Amino acid sequence: MPTLIVLLGSTAVGKTELSVSIAKTLCCPILNCDSRQLFRELRIGTAAPTEEEMQGVRHYFVGTLSIDDYYSAARYEEEAIALLTELFKQLDKVILSGGSMLYIDAVCKGIDDIPTVDSRTRQLIKRRLATEGLSRLAEDLERRDPEYAAIVDKQNTRRIVHALEICEMTGKTYTSFRIRAHKERPFSILKIGLNRPREELFERINRRVDAMMERGFLEEVRQLVSHRNANALNTVGYKELLRVLDGEWELPMAVERIKKNTRVYAKKQLTWFLKDKEIQWFHPSETEAIMRLINKR
């Protein structure tokens, strides 16, 4: 049976470099599993791999969408599984690399059929959003579904609203619909987690943000102002720099906020991944041990 090697970990831990190295050794392609790197306009702020960083390795799901395109974990599951079905006709191993928790679960476990929200519930939560504000809805979600509230972006209106709609309509947690399914796959899955000591990871995050700014991150955001309502821009880095362009924040303050919010997101990613007992953990420098594990499959 062919094997999908899932190389996962928090942002800035070192997934890109290691995945390319492994892919070159195995002569196989990489499926990107960072939900924001799918958007071609979000290159610098998502640390999307450059042509140089890809080193000639075939990458899928990088820059394949436009910023206003609708996309979801369910659609990613469908497209990734279809692609893997074709790739595994010729290959024994393929790498999936990224840190988007829901997208990884979509490929490895499958997405549940979440109920369609009825119009009464949709209008109810819409009125609450207008009268109470997003922060109050986020507090309500923490009460109704603390597990999902622990990992969702509290500034992501669409996700907060949708989760509350499901809670309100069904009387169950949104989480209960998201984790029930575990679909059988026609390939085996090897999950390799990358982690670093916290201080080491945080220093890498800080340096990465500085490098993004030097590469022209602010200008990238400036060119996207007309798309500011696109869900893709509801992302750490883009949100903060939009406030700079709006004159609300000074740039140095925004850069520090980006670093802080990225560190917070990295901790959320790790909290999510540590619940998965199938993951075998390594420091990114332990390449020989990682390759020994892969070669056993």
Side-chain angles (χ1 to χ4, degrees):
M1 181 178 289
T3 301
L4 178 66
I5 301 163
V6 181
L7 194 67
L8 55 85
S10 58
T11 185
V13 75
K15 298 183 294 294
T16 298
E17 182 179 358
L18 184 57
S19 64
V20 169
S21 175
I22 295 174
K24 292 175 76 172
T25 300
L26 299 177
C27 298
C28 73
I30 296 172
L31 274 62
N32 166 58
C33 199
D34 183 311
S35 63
R36 291 305 191 248
Q37 289 182 3
L38 274 79
F39 297 95
R40 66 179 65 97
E41 296 89 348
L42 312 187
R43 303 296 296 178
I44 299 174
T46 64
T50 63
E51 290 296 329
E52 182 180 8
E53 288 171 327
M54 292 187 209
Q55 297 182 41
V57 172
R58 181 72 170 94
H59 281 63
Y60 295 92
F61 300 109
V62 176
T64 54
L65 300 174
S66 181
I67 191 170
D68 291 315
D69 289 341
Y70 171 76
Y71 207 71
S72 66
R75 182 175 165 189
Y76 181 79
E77 176 193 4
E78 180 181 352
E79 295 182 354
I81 295 300
L83 175 60
L84 287 170
T85 300
E86 292 302 311
L87 291 175
F88 281 138
K89 290 178 180 178
Q90 301 178 358
L91 300 167
D92 291 328
K93 293 181 174 66
V94 174
I95 297 170
L96 183 144
S97 178
S100 291
M101 298 88 80
L102 296 182
Y103 281 46
I104 291 172
D105 280 355
V107 173
C108 296
K109 302 176 182 178
I111 291 288
D112 289 282
D113 294 324
I114 296 176
T116 301
V117 179
D118 59 48
S119 58
R120 184 199 68 82
T121 304
R122 194 175 299 279
Q123 290 303 315
L124 172 64
I125 302 301
K126 184 177 180 180
R127 287 196 299 272
R128 286 192 57 194
L129 177 64
T131 57
E132 301 175 32
L134 182 61
S135 61
R136 290 292 296 274
L137 265 60
E139 291 174 4
D140 192 17
L141 182 62
E142 287 187 16
R143 179 178 62 82
R144 296 186 182 212
D145 189 350
E147 185 172 353
Y148 184 64
I151 58 99
V152 70
D153 178 359
K154 298 299 193 300
Q155 301 303 312
N156 192 318
T157 303
R158 183 178 62 84
R159 290 184 179 175
I160 295 289
V161 165
H162 185 55
L164 267 184
E165 288 173 342
I166 297 299
C167 293
E168 176 70 26
M169 187 180 75
T170 67
K172 302 176 182 178
T173 64
Y174 182 55
T175 297
S176 68
F177 290 98
R178 293 176 55 245
I179 64 174
R180 184 172 299 161
H182 196 149
K183 300 175 185 175
E184 293 298 321
R185 300 303 191 196
F187 49 82
S188 65
I189 298 172
L190 174 61
K191 295 180 181 178
I192 297 173
L194 302 182
N195 198 10
R196 296 176 184 266
R198 178 170 292 193
E199 289 186 6
E200 183 180 321
L201 177 63
F202 285 3
E203 178 58 29
R204 285 176 61 88
I205 288 172
N206 294 342
R207 291 202 307 268
R208 172 184 277 189
V209 173
D210 288 336
M212 287 175 175
M213 298 308 300
E214 292 174 4
R215 288 180 57 198
F217 189 15
L218 182 61
E219 184 57 35
E220 178 174 86
V221 178
R222 194 189 310 276
Q223 294 175 9
L224 298 172
V225 169
S226 62
H227 301 275
R228 64 183 308 139
N229 293 323
N231 184 62
L233 288 183
N234 190 21
T235 302
V236 173
Y238 294 90
K239 295 185 294 186
E240 292 84 354
L241 292 184
L242 281 171
R243 299 187 74 165
V244 172
L245 296 176
D246 289 341
E248 296 180 26
W249 288 357
E250 295 294 329
L251 183 57
M253 172 185 170
V255 171
E256 290 307 310
R257 288 292 184 92
I258 294 171
K259 293 177 180 178
K260 177 182 177 181
N261 292 338
T262 304
R263 295 193 297 266
V264 169
Y265 178 60
K267 288 188 286 187
K268 285 184 177 181
Q269 289 174 296
L270 189 58
T271 298
W272 177 282
F273 290 138
L274 286 175
K275 296 177 183 178
D276 189 340
K277 302 308 178 184
E278 296 178 355
I279 300 173
Q280 301 185 57
W281 291 94
F282 297 88
H283 189 281
S285 65
E286 296 179 280
T287 53
E288 292 185 5
I290 291 171
M291 287 306 305
R292 282 198 298 270
L293 177 64
I294 290 173
N295 289 330
K296 290 180 182 179
R297 299 299 286 259

